PDB file of all heavy atoms in Angstrom:
ATOM      1  N   MET A   1    -106.599 217.654 253.483  1.00 98.00           N
ATOM      2  CA  MET A   1    -107.061 218.557 254.537  1.00 98.00           C
ATOM      3  C   MET A   1    -107.531 217.820 255.785  1.00 98.00           C
ATOM      4  O   MET A   1    -108.059 218.434 256.713  1.00 98.00           O
ATOM      5  CB  MET A   1    -108.197 219.436 253.997  1.00 98.00           C
ATOM      6  CG  MET A   1    -107.764 220.395 252.898  1.00 98.00           C
ATOM      7  SD  MET A   1    -106.525 221.603 253.441  1.00 98.00           S
ATOM      8  CE  MET A   1    -107.555 222.691 254.442  1.00 98.00           C
ATOM      9  N   ALA A   2    -107.353 216.511 255.810  1.00 98.00           N
ATOM     10  CA  ALA A   2    -107.730 215.743 256.999  1.00 98.00           C
ATOM     11  C   ALA A   2    -106.986 216.272 258.219  1.00 98.00           C
ATOM     12  O   ALA A   2    -105.769 216.487 258.174  1.00 98.00           O
ATOM     13  CB  ALA A   2    -107.419 214.265 256.789  1.00 98.00           C
ATOM     14  N   GLY A   3    -107.710 216.498 259.290  1.00 98.00           N
ATOM     15  CA  GLY A   3    -107.115 217.018 260.515  1.00 98.00           C
ATOM     16  C   GLY A   3    -106.957 218.525 260.553  1.00 98.00           C
ATOM     17  O   GLY A   3    -106.643 219.090 261.608  1.00 98.00           O
ATOM     18  N   LYS A   4    -107.194 219.194 259.436  1.00 98.00           N
ATOM     19  CA  LYS A   4    -107.101 220.653 259.386  1.00 98.00           C
ATOM     20  C   LYS A   4    -108.423 221.279 259.852  1.00 98.00           C
ATOM     21  O   LYS A   4    -109.495 220.676 259.748  1.00 98.00           O
ATOM     22  CB  LYS A   4    -106.789 221.135 257.969  1.00 98.00           C
ATOM     23  CG  LYS A   4    -105.491 220.575 257.386  1.00 98.00           C
ATOM     24  CD  LYS A   4    -104.269 221.054 258.148  1.00 98.00           C
ATOM     25  CE  LYS A   4    -103.002 220.570 257.454  1.00 98.00           C
ATOM     26  NZ  LYS A   4    -101.777 220.981 258.217  1.00 98.00           N
ATOM     27  N   THR A   5    -108.337 222.490 260.345  1.00 98.00           N
ATOM     28  CA  THR A   5    -109.514 223.219 260.796  1.00 98.00           C
ATOM     29  C   THR A   5    -109.943 224.179 259.702  1.00 98.00           C
ATOM     30  O   THR A   5    -109.176 225.057 259.291  1.00 98.00           O
ATOM     31  CB  THR A   5    -109.210 223.999 262.083  1.00 98.00           C
ATOM     32  OG1 THR A   5    -108.764 223.081 263.087  1.00 98.00           O
ATOM     33  CG2 THR A   5    -110.458 224.716 262.597  1.00 98.00           C
ATOM     34  N   ILE A   6    -111.183 224.003 259.213  1.00 98.00           N
ATOM     35  CA  ILE A   6    -111.690 224.802 258.097  1.00 98.00           C
ATOM     36  C   ILE A   6    -112.995 225.471 258.524  1.00 98.00           C
ATOM     37  O   ILE A   6    -113.864 224.828 259.110  1.00 98.00           O
ATOM     38  CB  ILE A   6    -111.964 223.940 256.847  1.00 98.00           C
ATOM     39  CG1 ILE A   6    -110.839 222.938 256.605  1.00 98.00           C
ATOM     40  CG2 ILE A   6    -112.139 224.831 255.622  1.00 98.00           C
ATOM     41  CD1 ILE A   6    -111.129 221.954 255.485  1.00 98.00           C
ATOM     42  N   GLY A   7    -113.136 226.750 258.203  1.00 98.00           N
ATOM     43  CA  GLY A   7    -114.328 227.489 258.597  1.00 98.00           C
ATOM     44  C   GLY A   7    -115.180 227.921 257.416  1.00 98.00           C
ATOM     45  O   GLY A   7    -114.711 228.014 256.279  1.00 98.00           O
ATOM     46  N   ALA A   8    -116.445 228.186 257.699  1.00 98.00           N
ATOM     47  CA  ALA A   8    -117.377 228.732 256.713  1.00 98.00           C
ATOM     48  C   ALA A   8    -118.571 229.302 257.465  1.00 98.00           C
ATOM     49  O   ALA A   8    -118.808 228.966 258.632  1.00 98.00           O
ATOM     50  CB  ALA A   8    -117.842 227.672 255.720  1.00 98.00           C
ATOM     51  N   GLN A   9    -119.320 230.147 256.799  1.00 97.00           N
ATOM     52  CA  GLN A   9    -120.558 230.636 257.385  1.00 97.00           C
ATOM     53  C   GLN A   9    -121.592 229.513 257.368  1.00 97.00           C
ATOM     54  O   GLN A   9    -121.725 228.776 256.395  1.00 97.00           O
ATOM     55  CB  GLN A   9    -121.091 231.842 256.609  1.00 97.00           C
ATOM     56  CG  GLN A   9    -122.337 232.462 257.237  1.00 97.00           C
ATOM     57  CD  GLN A   9    -122.799 233.713 256.506  1.00 97.00           C
ATOM     58  OE1 GLN A   9    -122.203 234.101 255.504  1.00 97.00           O
ATOM     59  NE2 GLN A   9    -123.846 234.329 256.999  1.00 97.00           N
ATOM     60  N   GLY A  10    -122.320 229.372 258.457  1.00 97.00           N
ATOM     61  CA  GLY A  10    -123.332 228.335 258.551  1.00 97.00           C
ATOM     62  C   GLY A  10    -124.545 228.619 257.694  1.00 97.00           C
ATOM     63  O   GLY A  10    -124.797 229.759 257.306  1.00 97.00           O
ATOM     64  N   ALA A  11    -125.312 227.564 257.377  1.00 93.00           N
ATOM     65  CA  ALA A  11    -126.526 227.652 256.559  1.00 93.00           C
ATOM     66  C   ALA A  11    -126.242 228.225 255.177  1.00 93.00           C
ATOM     67  O   ALA A  11    -127.073 228.921 254.609  1.00 93.00           O
ATOM     68  CB  ALA A  11    -127.597 228.472 257.271  1.00 93.00           C
ATOM     69  N   THR A  12    -125.054 227.934 254.650  1.00 94.00           N
ATOM     70  CA  THR A  12    -124.652 228.407 253.326  1.00 94.00           C
ATOM     71  C   THR A  12    -124.207 227.219 252.485  1.00 94.00           C
ATOM     72  O   THR A  12    -123.957 226.119 253.005  1.00 94.00           O
ATOM     73  CB  THR A  12    -123.478 229.404 253.403  1.00 94.00           C
ATOM     74  OG1 THR A  12    -122.334 228.724 253.962  1.00 94.00           O
ATOM     75  CG2 THR A  12    -123.837 230.613 254.266  1.00 94.00           C
ATOM     76  N   THR A  13    -124.070 227.453 251.177  1.00 94.00           N
ATOM     77  CA  THR A  13    -123.600 226.382 250.312  1.00 94.00           C
ATOM     78  C   THR A  13    -122.145 226.016 250.608  1.00 94.00           C
ATOM     79  O   THR A  13    -121.760 224.855 250.478  1.00 94.00           O
ATOM     80  CB  THR A  13    -123.746 226.787 248.838  1.00 94.00           C
ATOM     81  OG1 THR A  13    -123.182 228.084 248.648  1.00 94.00           O
ATOM     82  CG2 THR A  13    -125.204 226.825 248.434  1.00 94.00           C
ATOM     83  N   GLN A  14    -121.336 226.988 251.013  1.00 96.00           N
ATOM     84  CA  GLN A  14    -119.958 226.656 251.370  1.00 96.00           C
ATOM     85  C   GLN A  14    -119.900 225.811 252.635  1.00 96.00           C
ATOM     86  O   GLN A  14    -119.062 224.907 252.760  1.00 96.00           O
ATOM     87  CB  GLN A  14    -119.080 227.903 251.497  1.00 96.00           C
ATOM     88  CG  GLN A  14    -119.588 228.991 252.395  1.00 96.00           C
ATOM     89  CD  GLN A  14    -120.337 230.077 251.628  1.00 96.00           C
ATOM     90  OE1 GLN A  14    -121.027 229.791 250.653  1.00 96.00           O
ATOM     91  NE2 GLN A  14    -120.193 231.313 252.068  1.00 96.00           N
ATOM     92  N   GLY A  15    -120.791 226.086 253.575  1.00 97.00           N
ATOM     93  CA  GLY A  15    -120.887 225.248 254.759  1.00 97.00           C
ATOM     94  C   GLY A  15    -121.324 223.837 254.402  1.00 97.00           C
ATOM     95  O   GLY A  15    -120.787 222.845 254.924  1.00 97.00           O
ATOM     96  N   ASP A  16    -122.314 223.721 253.514  1.00 96.00           N
ATOM     97  CA  ASP A  16    -122.773 222.405 253.049  1.00 96.00           C
ATOM     98  C   ASP A  16    -121.648 221.655 252.352  1.00 96.00           C
ATOM     99  O   ASP A  16    -121.486 220.434 252.523  1.00 96.00           O
ATOM    100  CB  ASP A  16    -123.953 222.556 252.092  1.00 96.00           C
ATOM    101  CG  ASP A  16    -125.208 223.085 252.781  1.00 96.00           C
ATOM    102  OD1 ASP A  16    -125.274 223.053 254.027  1.00 96.00           O
ATOM    103  OD2 ASP A  16    -126.124 223.518 252.054  1.00 96.00           O
ATOM    104  N   TYR A  17    -120.875 222.369 251.551  1.00 97.00           N
ATOM    105  CA  TYR A  17    -119.768 221.767 250.808  1.00 97.00           C
ATOM    106  C   TYR A  17    -118.742 221.161 251.766  1.00 97.00           C
ATOM    107  O   TYR A  17    -118.326 220.000 251.606  1.00 97.00           O
ATOM    108  CB  TYR A  17    -119.127 222.843 249.931  1.00 97.00           C
ATOM    109  CG  TYR A  17    -117.868 222.441 249.226  1.00 97.00           C
ATOM    110  CD1 TYR A  17    -117.908 221.691 248.060  1.00 97.00           C
ATOM    111  CD2 TYR A  17    -116.624 222.848 249.713  1.00 97.00           C
ATOM    112  CE1 TYR A  17    -116.734 221.329 247.399  1.00 97.00           C
ATOM    113  CE2 TYR A  17    -115.447 222.493 249.062  1.00 97.00           C
ATOM    114  CZ  TYR A  17    -115.516 221.737 247.906  1.00 97.00           C
ATOM    115  OH  TYR A  17    -114.351 221.392 247.258  1.00 97.00           O
ATOM    116  N   LEU A  18    -118.338 221.917 252.760  1.00 98.00           N
ATOM    117  CA  LEU A  18    -117.353 221.410 253.710  1.00 98.00           C
ATOM    118  C   LEU A  18    -117.901 220.253 254.528  1.00 98.00           C
ATOM    119  O   LEU A  18    -117.217 219.245 254.743  1.00 98.00           O
ATOM    120  CB  LEU A  18    -116.899 222.539 254.638  1.00 98.00           C
ATOM    121  CG  LEU A  18    -116.023 223.624 254.018  1.00 98.00           C
ATOM    122  CD1 LEU A  18    -115.709 224.707 255.043  1.00 98.00           C
ATOM    123  CD2 LEU A  18    -114.725 223.042 253.452  1.00 98.00           C
ATOM    124  N   SER A  19    -119.134 220.380 254.980  1.00 98.00           N
ATOM    125  CA  SER A  19    -119.729 219.331 255.808  1.00 98.00           C
ATOM    126  C   SER A  19    -119.848 218.015 255.046  1.00 98.00           C
ATOM    127  O   SER A  19    -119.686 216.928 255.619  1.00 98.00           O
ATOM    128  CB  SER A  19    -121.103 219.777 256.311  1.00 98.00           C
ATOM    129  OG  SER A  19    -120.991 220.909 257.155  1.00 98.00           O
ATOM    130  N   ALA A  20    -120.134 218.096 253.743  1.00 98.00           N
ATOM    131  CA  ALA A  20    -120.330 216.890 252.942  1.00 98.00           C
ATOM    132  C   ALA A  20    -119.027 216.247 252.498  1.00 98.00           C
ATOM    133  O   ALA A  20    -118.899 215.014 252.483  1.00 98.00           O
ATOM    134  CB  ALA A  20    -121.178 217.224 251.714  1.00 98.00           C
ATOM    135  N   LEU A  21    -118.031 217.047 252.146  1.00 98.00           N
ATOM    136  CA  LEU A  21    -116.837 216.519 251.491  1.00 98.00           C
ATOM    137  C   LEU A  21    -115.605 216.447 252.386  1.00 98.00           C
ATOM    138  O   LEU A  21    -114.600 215.844 251.998  1.00 98.00           O
ATOM    139  CB  LEU A  21    -116.509 217.361 250.258  1.00 98.00           C
ATOM    140  CG  LEU A  21    -117.564 217.372 249.145  1.00 98.00           C
ATOM    141  CD1 LEU A  21    -117.061 218.150 247.940  1.00 98.00           C
ATOM    142  CD2 LEU A  21    -117.948 215.956 248.728  1.00 98.00           C
ATOM    143  N   TYR A  22    -115.648 217.056 253.569  1.00 98.00           N
ATOM    144  CA  TYR A  22    -114.461 217.091 254.435  1.00 98.00           C
ATOM    145  C   TYR A  22    -114.772 216.504 255.821  1.00 98.00           C
ATOM    146  O   TYR A  22    -114.584 217.149 256.848  1.00 98.00           O
ATOM    147  CB  TYR A  22    -113.944 218.528 254.550  1.00 98.00           C
ATOM    148  CG  TYR A  22    -113.338 219.025 253.257  1.00 98.00           C
ATOM    149  CD1 TYR A  22    -114.147 219.469 252.217  1.00 98.00           C
ATOM    150  CD2 TYR A  22    -111.967 219.018 253.060  1.00 98.00           C
ATOM    151  CE1 TYR A  22    -113.606 219.898 251.015  1.00 98.00           C
ATOM    152  CE2 TYR A  22    -111.410 219.448 251.855  1.00 98.00           C
ATOM    153  CZ  TYR A  22    -112.236 219.881 250.833  1.00 98.00           C
ATOM    154  OH  TYR A  22    -111.694 220.301 249.658  1.00 98.00           O
ATOM    155  N   PRO A  23    -115.218 215.234 255.853  1.00 98.00           N
ATOM    156  CA  PRO A  23    -115.591 214.632 257.139  1.00 98.00           C
ATOM    157  C   PRO A  23    -114.420 214.441 258.093  1.00 98.00           C
ATOM    158  O   PRO A  23    -114.629 214.326 259.316  1.00 98.00           O
ATOM    159  CB  PRO A  23    -116.195 213.279 256.729  1.00 98.00           C
ATOM    160  CG  PRO A  23    -115.521 212.953 255.425  1.00 98.00           C
ATOM    161  CD  PRO A  23    -115.376 214.282 254.731  1.00 98.00           C
ATOM    162  N   ASP A  24    -113.209 214.387 257.560  1.00 98.00           N
ATOM    163  CA  ASP A  24    -112.038 214.165 258.419  1.00 98.00           C
ATOM    164  C   ASP A  24    -111.362 215.467 258.830  1.00 98.00           C
ATOM    165  O   ASP A  24    -110.305 215.446 259.473  1.00 98.00           O
ATOM    166  CB  ASP A  24    -111.029 213.257 257.710  1.00 98.00           C
ATOM    167  CG  ASP A  24    -111.592 211.865 257.435  1.00 98.00           C
ATOM    168  OD1 ASP A  24    -112.348 211.368 258.295  1.00 98.00           O
ATOM    169  OD2 ASP A  24    -111.303 211.304 256.366  1.00 98.00           O
ATOM    170  N   SER A  25    -111.965 216.588 258.463  1.00 98.00           N
ATOM    171  CA  SER A  25    -111.462 217.894 258.900  1.00 98.00           C
ATOM    172  C   SER A  25    -112.327 218.400 260.048  1.00 98.00           C
ATOM    173  O   SER A  25    -113.453 217.948 260.253  1.00 98.00           O
ATOM    174  CB  SER A  25    -111.506 218.896 257.737  1.00 98.00           C
ATOM    175  OG  SER A  25    -110.690 218.477 256.668  1.00 98.00           O
ATOM    176  N   ASP A  26    -111.779 219.328 260.786  1.00 98.00           N
ATOM    177  CA  ASP A  26    -112.548 220.002 261.832  1.00 98.00           C
ATOM    178  C   ASP A  26    -113.263 221.175 261.176  1.00 98.00           C
ATOM    179  O   ASP A  26    -112.693 222.255 261.015  1.00 98.00           O
ATOM    180  CB  ASP A  26    -111.600 220.487 262.931  1.00 98.00           C
ATOM    181  CG  ASP A  26    -112.319 221.245 264.040  1.00 98.00           C
ATOM    182  OD1 ASP A  26    -113.574 221.280 264.044  1.00 98.00           O
ATOM    183  OD2 ASP A  26    -111.629 221.824 264.911  1.00 98.00           O
ATOM    184  N   VAL A  27    -114.514 220.958 260.747  1.00 98.00           N
ATOM    185  CA  VAL A  27    -115.291 221.982 260.055  1.00 98.00           C
ATOM    186  C   VAL A  27    -116.042 222.820 261.085  1.00 98.00           C
ATOM    187  O   VAL A  27    -116.820 222.290 261.881  1.00 98.00           O
ATOM    188  CB  VAL A  27    -116.283 221.343 259.057  1.00 98.00           C
ATOM    189  CG1 VAL A  27    -117.192 222.413 258.456  1.00 98.00           C
ATOM    190  CG2 VAL A  27    -115.510 220.620 257.953  1.00 98.00           C
ATOM    191  N   ARG A  28    -115.806 224.116 261.068  1.00 98.00           N
ATOM    192  CA  ARG A  28    -116.447 225.022 262.013  1.00 98.00           C
ATOM    193  C   ARG A  28    -117.333 226.008 261.255  1.00 98.00           C
ATOM    194  O   ARG A  28    -116.874 226.666 260.318  1.00 98.00           O
ATOM    195  CB  ARG A  28    -115.392 225.785 262.826  1.00 98.00           C
ATOM    196  CG  ARG A  28    -114.488 224.856 263.631  1.00 98.00           C
ATOM    197  CD  ARG A  28    -113.473 225.618 264.474  1.00 98.00           C
ATOM    198  NE  ARG A  28    -112.568 224.705 265.157  1.00 98.00           N
ATOM    199  CZ  ARG A  28    -111.569 225.087 265.965  1.00 98.00           C
ATOM    200  NH1 ARG A  28    -111.376 226.393 266.180  1.00 98.00           N
ATOM    201  NH2 ARG A  28    -110.796 224.188 266.541  1.00 98.00           N
ATOM    202  N   LEU A  29    -118.590 226.093 261.661  1.00 98.00           N
ATOM    203  CA  LEU A  29    -119.560 226.957 260.999  1.00 98.00           C
ATOM    204  C   LEU A  29    -119.914 228.130 261.902  1.00 98.00           C
ATOM    205  O   LEU A  29    -120.075 227.955 263.114  1.00 98.00           O
ATOM    206  CB  LEU A  29    -120.811 226.167 260.626  1.00 98.00           C
ATOM    207  CG  LEU A  29    -120.559 224.944 259.735  1.00 98.00           C
ATOM    208  CD1 LEU A  29    -121.870 224.245 259.418  1.00 98.00           C
ATOM    209  CD2 LEU A  29    -119.826 225.332 258.449  1.00 98.00           C
ATOM    210  N   TYR A  30    -120.039 229.300 261.310  1.00 98.00           N
ATOM    211  CA  TYR A  30    -120.198 230.541 262.050  1.00 98.00           C
ATOM    212  C   TYR A  30    -121.480 231.268 261.626  1.00 98.00           C
ATOM    213  O   TYR A  30    -121.959 231.078 260.510  1.00 98.00           O
ATOM    214  CB  TYR A  30    -119.002 231.461 261.797  1.00 98.00           C
ATOM    215  CG  TYR A  30    -117.670 230.902 262.249  1.00 98.00           C
ATOM    216  CD1 TYR A  30    -117.011 229.928 261.495  1.00 98.00           C
ATOM    217  CD2 TYR A  30    -117.069 231.350 263.419  1.00 98.00           C
ATOM    218  CE1 TYR A  30    -115.784 229.419 261.897  1.00 98.00           C
ATOM    219  CE2 TYR A  30    -115.831 230.849 263.823  1.00 98.00           C
ATOM    220  CZ  TYR A  30    -115.198 229.882 263.061  1.00 98.00           C
ATOM    221  OH  TYR A  30    -113.981 229.382 263.477  1.00 98.00           O
ATOM    222  N   PRO A  31    -122.006 232.128 262.481  1.00 95.00           N
ATOM    223  CA  PRO A  31    -123.252 232.829 262.128  1.00 95.00           C
ATOM    224  C   PRO A  31    -123.109 233.866 261.034  1.00 95.00           C
ATOM    225  O   PRO A  31    -124.068 234.154 260.325  1.00 95.00           O
ATOM    226  CB  PRO A  31    -123.680 233.483 263.444  1.00 95.00           C
ATOM    227  CG  PRO A  31    -122.415 233.593 264.246  1.00 95.00           C
ATOM    228  CD  PRO A  31    -121.600 232.401 263.870  1.00 95.00           C
ATOM    229  N   THR A  32    -121.917 234.453 260.885  1.00 95.00           N
ATOM    230  CA  THR A  32    -121.694 235.476 259.860  1.00 95.00           C
ATOM    231  C   THR A  32    -120.351 235.252 259.191  1.00 95.00           C
ATOM    232  O   THR A  32    -119.449 234.601 259.743  1.00 95.00           O
ATOM    233  CB  THR A  32    -121.705 236.901 260.453  1.00 95.00           C
ATOM    234  OG1 THR A  32    -120.571 237.061 261.320  1.00 95.00           O
ATOM    235  CG2 THR A  32    -122.993 237.176 261.218  1.00 95.00           C
ATOM    236  N   GLN A  33    -120.188 235.859 258.001  1.00 95.00           N
ATOM    237  CA  GLN A  33    -118.907 235.772 257.303  1.00 95.00           C
ATOM    238  C   GLN A  33    -117.824 236.535 258.061  1.00 95.00           C
ATOM    239  O   GLN A  33    -116.661 236.122 258.097  1.00 95.00           O
ATOM    240  CB  GLN A  33    -119.040 236.335 255.886  1.00 95.00           C
ATOM    241  CG  GLN A  33    -117.780 236.200 255.040  1.00 95.00           C
ATOM    242  CD  GLN A  33    -117.364 234.758 254.836  1.00 95.00           C
ATOM    243  OE1 GLN A  33    -118.161 233.931 254.424  1.00 95.00           O
ATOM    244  NE2 GLN A  33    -116.099 234.443 255.144  1.00 95.00           N
ATOM    245  N   ASP A  34    -118.200 237.636 258.696  1.00 95.00           N
ATOM    246  CA  ASP A  34    -117.226 238.404 259.476  1.00 95.00           C
ATOM    247  C   ASP A  34    -116.620 237.551 260.586  1.00 95.00           C
ATOM    248  O   ASP A  34    -115.432 237.668 260.892  1.00 95.00           O
ATOM    249  CB  ASP A  34    -117.885 239.646 260.077  1.00 95.00           C
ATOM    250  CG  ASP A  34    -118.085 240.751 259.058  1.00 95.00           C
ATOM    251  OD1 ASP A  34    -117.466 240.681 257.977  1.00 95.00           O
ATOM    252  OD2 ASP A  34    -118.864 241.683 259.345  1.00 95.00           O
ATOM    253  N   ALA A  35    -117.441 236.685 261.191  1.00 97.00           N
ATOM    254  CA  ALA A  35    -116.942 235.827 262.266  1.00 97.00           C
ATOM    255  C   ALA A  35    -115.947 234.798 261.733  1.00 97.00           C
ATOM    256  O   ALA A  35    -114.948 234.479 262.398  1.00 97.00           O
ATOM    257  CB  ALA A  35    -118.109 235.126 262.958  1.00 97.00           C
ATOM    258  N   VAL A  36    -116.198 234.288 260.537  1.00 98.00           N
ATOM    259  CA  VAL A  36    -115.242 233.360 259.908  1.00 98.00           C
ATOM    260  C   VAL A  36    -113.919 234.083 259.652  1.00 98.00           C
ATOM    261  O   VAL A  36    -112.837 233.581 259.979  1.00 98.00           O
ATOM    262  CB  VAL A  36    -115.780 232.810 258.576  1.00 98.00           C
ATOM    263  CG1 VAL A  36    -114.899 231.645 258.110  1.00 98.00           C
ATOM    264  CG2 VAL A  36    -117.217 232.341 258.696  1.00 98.00           C
ATOM    265  N   ASN A  37    -114.027 235.262 259.062  1.00 98.00           N
ATOM    266  CA  ASN A  37    -112.823 236.038 258.760  1.00 98.00           C
ATOM    267  C   ASN A  37    -112.001 236.290 260.019  1.00 98.00           C
ATOM    268  O   ASN A  37    -110.767 236.177 260.010  1.00 98.00           O
ATOM    269  CB  ASN A  37    -113.206 237.372 258.125  1.00 98.00           C
ATOM    270  CG  ASN A  37    -113.871 237.223 256.769  1.00 98.00           C
ATOM    271  OD1 ASN A  37    -113.856 236.148 256.166  1.00 98.00           O
ATOM    272  ND2 ASN A  37    -114.463 238.301 256.292  1.00 98.00           N
ATOM    273  N   LEU A  38    -112.675 236.642 261.092  1.00 98.00           N
ATOM    274  CA  LEU A  38    -111.986 236.959 262.342  1.00 98.00           C
ATOM    275  C   LEU A  38    -111.197 235.769 262.858  1.00 98.00           C
ATOM    276  O   LEU A  38    -110.043 235.915 263.292  1.00 98.00           O
ATOM    277  CB  LEU A  38    -113.001 237.411 263.395  1.00 98.00           C
ATOM    278  CG  LEU A  38    -112.428 237.755 264.777  1.00 98.00           C
ATOM    279  CD1 LEU A  38    -111.429 238.903 264.679  1.00 98.00           C
ATOM    280  CD2 LEU A  38    -113.556 238.111 265.742  1.00 98.00           C
ATOM    281  N   ASP A  39    -111.775 234.574 262.799  1.00 98.00           N
ATOM    282  CA  ASP A  39    -111.049 233.403 263.295  1.00 98.00           C
ATOM    283  C   ASP A  39    -109.895 233.021 262.382  1.00 98.00           C
ATOM    284  O   ASP A  39    -108.885 232.482 262.845  1.00 98.00           O
ATOM    285  CB  ASP A  39    -112.009 232.218 263.473  1.00 98.00           C
ATOM    286  CG  ASP A  39    -112.510 232.112 264.917  1.00 98.00           C
ATOM    287  OD1 ASP A  39    -112.330 233.087 265.674  1.00 98.00           O
ATOM    288  OD2 ASP A  39    -113.073 231.055 265.281  1.00 98.00           O
ATOM    289  N   LEU A  40    -110.012 233.302 261.092  1.00 98.00           N
ATOM    290  CA  LEU A  40    -108.875 233.043 260.200  1.00 98.00           C
ATOM    291  C   LEU A  40    -107.740 234.020 260.510  1.00 98.00           C
ATOM    292  O   LEU A  40    -106.578 233.629 260.622  1.00 98.00           O
ATOM    293  CB  LEU A  40    -109.305 233.167 258.744  1.00 98.00           C
ATOM    294  CG  LEU A  40    -108.246 232.798 257.700  1.00 98.00           C
ATOM    295  CD1 LEU A  40    -107.821 231.335 257.841  1.00 98.00           C
ATOM    296  CD2 LEU A  40    -108.744 233.065 256.286  1.00 98.00           C
ATOM    297  N   VAL A  41    -108.086 235.285 260.699  1.00 98.00           N
ATOM    298  CA  VAL A  41    -107.090 236.303 261.051  1.00 98.00           C
ATOM    299  C   VAL A  41    -106.423 235.965 262.376  1.00 98.00           C
ATOM    300  O   VAL A  41    -105.204 236.140 262.554  1.00 98.00           O
ATOM    301  CB  VAL A  41    -107.747 237.692 261.133  1.00 98.00           C
ATOM    302  CG1 VAL A  41    -106.776 238.717 261.704  1.00 98.00           C
ATOM    303  CG2 VAL A  41    -108.230 238.136 259.752  1.00 98.00           C
TER     304      VAL A  41
END
């Protein structure tokens, strides 16, 4: 997933997971889950 853009809701365990394990990806954190869904769509 290096170089890929991955999203998650901020201040969550999924956000922590991406931030810790995917340093070479573009990890984007959002205020709500709906906002993550919207950017994926």
Side-chain angles (χ1 to χ4, degrees):
M1 294 298 286
K4 302 295 185 182
T5 302
I6 317 173
Q9 184 176 2
T12 63
T13 49
Q14 52 264 35
D16 293 344
Y17 173 80
L18 289 177
S19 296
L21 297 185
Y22 290 79
D24 297 323
S25 299
D26 178 8
V27 174
R28 300 182 184 180
L29 303 181
Y30 298 77
T32 67
Q33 184 61 52
D34 283 345
V36 192
N37 295 347
L38 179 61
D39 264 14
L40 185 61
V41 171

